[in-house]
Amino acid sequence: MKSRNLATISLAVMACGFLITLFLPENLAVILLRGGFEAGLVGGIADWFAVTALFRHPLGLPIPHTSLLLKNRDKIIQSLISAMENELLNKASIENKLRKIRIVSLGSTLLTRLFARKKARIEMLEQISSFVQKLPVIQAVPYIQSAAASYIREAKLGTAADTIITKLMNDGKDVAALDYALDGISGWTARPETRAMLGKIASEKLAEVKLGGLKGMAFQAFVGFVDAEMLGEMLQGMVQSGIRDFRDEDSPYRDQIIQEIRVAIFQLVNDEARIAAIKDWGLNELQSEATAAFLQEQLEGFRSKAVALLEEEKSAGGRKLFGLYAMLARRVSKEQEWIQGWEERIRASLINFVEANHYRLGLLVKENLDQMDDASLVDMLEDKVGKDLQWIRVNGAVCGFVVGLVLTVIQMF
């Protein structure tokens, strides 16, 4: 039963009891009950008037000093705001509370509990997978091209190439490259098909030579003596012999060709016109449709691989995800100075936020209360505190009844 109904019933009981005792024969019990019901009725009516006067005019009559809450609405709101800002939720209490909280440790504990749940890990992986699948890859291509183009325009390719080449030469990479090239040429010239190709080319070129006199006769005799196969073997042997000379570390030819390679490379990287031409070529190629298609294809491939890995991890219950988090958590837990530094930064940020926005608590309360009309405000207050206030009416009727009995007894004596 609602407290308001109970209070009304208690008042009705007192009124009915008083009326009934008026028509009963006079005796001691009736006199006592009449006195109790009369006092209870007076007490119930008085308390009903007092409780009702807090919220509205009793019986709709504009009696002075009634409807107190609405008449003092602004004062009550300001008092509530003042209490919240200066007593209940003042800045000092909030800041003191924040200083006692170990924010990083608390966050780590909450994250550990979250990652420890298999369902939570799977949900995280699903969200990440959904995010990756929705990434606008095609829209990212122009940004990548623009960023790469800006880097190429600003990059000092000559200086960078000079530094890289100097480092490679100091490490002997140029000599290693020469040996690698010689190995490749040696393997290529040692093939039978290469020998045949060299012989055919040499035979064709010798046939094109035109010499007169004795030299011409001697040359024609030589050409008639050797065939393509013999020429191929001769050229193959000469190339193989030259390669062996270049491989010999004591060979002057080897040092000479290495020096020539180095000079040519440094001339290339210090040729500003050539470097500029390389930049222009790179920029043109970078902005081409073929490059855009290549970048999009690569990004799509990366996304497909990422989604596949996420699906595989999801089917495994997110074990690697938890392992990665555990590894990071252990690593971070060893960096006490780092943790303390972040604790101070976060706490300082929160305190500054509280100091800058503390007044908004009062504004929020005021805005919400100002949006409520009088009827809504009264209904809200009655809903929150009306139950206890209605018991005042019940207690008034009951206490009045008891007091009435006592006073009646006193009057009798």
Side-chain angles (χ1 to χ4, degrees):
M1 182 181 297
K2 294 184 178 180
S3 57
R4 178 178 296 181
N5 294 336
L6 182 61
T8 303
I9 290 173
S10 66
L11 183 60
V13 168
M14 296 300 163
C16 291
F18 176 72
L19 291 174
I20 291 172
T21 56
L22 292 177
F23 299 97
L24 292 177
E26 292 287 337
N27 57 51
L28 179 61
V30 172
I31 294 173
L32 289 174
L33 289 175
R34 184 187 301 148
F37 283 127
E38 181 181 6
L41 180 59
V42 172
I45 293 174
D47 286 338
W48 167 81
F49 183 90
V51 171
T52 304
L54 289 174
F55 301 101
R56 58 181 62 85
H57 296 298
L59 302 176
L61 301 175
I63 302 173
H65 304 294
T66 58
S67 187
L68 300 178
L69 292 178
L70 296 181
K71 286 183 178 180
N72 296 277
R73 174 172 178 156
D74 292 338
K75 292 182 180 179
I76 294 173
I77 292 175
Q78 292 301 325
S79 298
L80 180 60
I81 294 173
S82 177
M84 290 185 61
E85 292 182 345
N86 301 317
E87 297 177 14
L88 301 177
L89 292 174
N90 58 73
K91 289 190 290 185
S93 64
I94 297 175
E95 292 176 5
N96 290 334
K97 189 65 177 179
L98 288 174
R99 295 184 189 281
K100 295 177 182 178
I101 299 175
R102 298 179 61 187
I103 300 172
V104 175
S105 299
L106 179 61
S108 176
T109 301
L110 295 176
L111 283 176
T112 301
R113 292 177 181 175
L114 180 65
F115 276 92
R117 296 169 51 203
K118 181 178 179 180
K119 183 178 179 181
R121 296 196 300 269
I122 293 177
E123 289 178 356
M124 287 184 208
L125 292 170
E126 289 178 349
Q127 294 297 325
I128 296 173
S129 178
S130 177
F131 174 76
V132 172
Q133 290 176 357
K134 294 178 181 178
L135 284 175
V137 171
I138 191 172
Q139 297 180 13
V141 172
Y143 292 100
I144 296 175
Q145 289 179 295
S146 177
S150 298
Y151 176 78
I152 291 176
R153 291 190 191 96
E154 297 175 1
K156 297 180 179 180
L157 297 183
T159 303
D162 188 275
T163 303
I164 293 172
I165 290 172
T166 301
K167 179 66 168 60
L168 292 175
M169 289 183 178
N170 291 336
D171 294 340
K173 300 301 180 182
D174 54 340
V175 178
L178 174 62
D179 291 335
Y180 179 78
L182 291 174
D183 290 339
I185 296 172
S186 177
W188 177 75
T189 55
R191 298 174 183 175
E193 57 269 23
T194 304
R195 182 174 64 246
M197 182 188 69
L198 291 175
K200 182 180 179 181
I201 293 173
S203 178
E204 293 174 353
K205 295 304 177 183
L206 288 175
E208 296 175 359
V209 176
K210 303 297 182 181
L211 294 175
L214 293 176
K215 289 183 179 181
M217 294 176 60
F219 182 76
Q220 291 298 325
F222 172 75
V223 171
F225 177 73
V226 295
D227 57 11
E229 183 177 357
M230 293 176 63
L231 289 171
E233 290 180 355
M234 292 172 59
L235 291 173
Q236 188 180 49
M238 286 187 290
V239 172
Q240 291 287 334
S241 177
I243 290 174
R244 285 193 295 272
D245 290 340
F246 285 130
R247 283 176 173 171
D248 186 3
E249 295 183 358
D250 296 329
S251 173
Y253 303 114
R254 179 181 176 87
D255 294 337
Q256 184 176 357
I257 194 171
I258 290 174
Q259 186 64 29
E260 290 295 330
I261 291 173
R262 290 177 175 176
V263 171
I265 291 175
F266 278 111
Q267 286 178 346
L268 175 63
V269 299
N270 288 294
D271 188 342
E272 295 183 0
R274 194 178 296 273
I275 294 296
I278 292 174
K279 272 190 175 185
D280 293 338
W281 172 83
L283 290 172
N284 292 332
E285 289 296 319
L286 186 61
Q287 300 297 331
S288 66
E289 293 183 359
T291 302
F294 173 78
L295 289 174
Q296 182 177 348
E297 181 181 357
Q298 296 303 310
L299 291 176
E300 291 287 357
F302 290 150
R303 174 161 64 183
S304 299
K305 291 180 180 178
V307 171
L309 289 174
L310 289 171
E311 290 297 327
E312 180 181 353
E313 177 65 8
K314 187 170 67 173
S315 63
R319 295 178 181 177
K320 292 182 180 179
L321 180 63
F322 182 76
L324 176 62
Y325 168 75
M327 180 187 69
L328 292 175
R330 286 194 295 268
R331 180 69 180 85
V332 171
S333 63
K334 297 178 181 178
E335 302 292 337
Q336 292 300 320
E337 293 184 1
W338 183 87
I339 293 175
Q340 187 64 30
W342 273 104
E343 287 273 4
E344 294 298 331
R345 293 188 189 96
I346 296 173
R347 187 177 293 111
S349 298
L350 291 176
I351 290 175
N352 291 335
F353 178 81
V354 170
E355 291 180 349
N357 297 277
H358 183 261
Y359 71 96
R360 297 183 185 274
L361 288 174
L363 291 179
L364 180 62
V365 173
K366 189 175 187 306
E367 288 176 0
N368 291 334
L369 291 176
D370 288 342
Q371 291 175 1
M372 302 176 67
D373 55 23
D374 291 346
S376 300
L377 179 60
V378 169
D379 290 340
M380 182 194 72
L381 293 175
E382 284 188 323
D383 181 65
K384 300 302 181 183
V385 299
K387 182 177 180 180
D388 293 330
L389 293 177
Q390 295 302 326
W391 276 104
I392 294 177
R393 295 173 56 190
V394 175
N395 294 334
V398 174
C399 291
F401 180 81
V402 174
V403 171
L405 292 176
V406 174
L407 292 177
T408 302
V409 172
I410 293 174
Q411 288 177 0
M412 293 178 64
F413 287 98

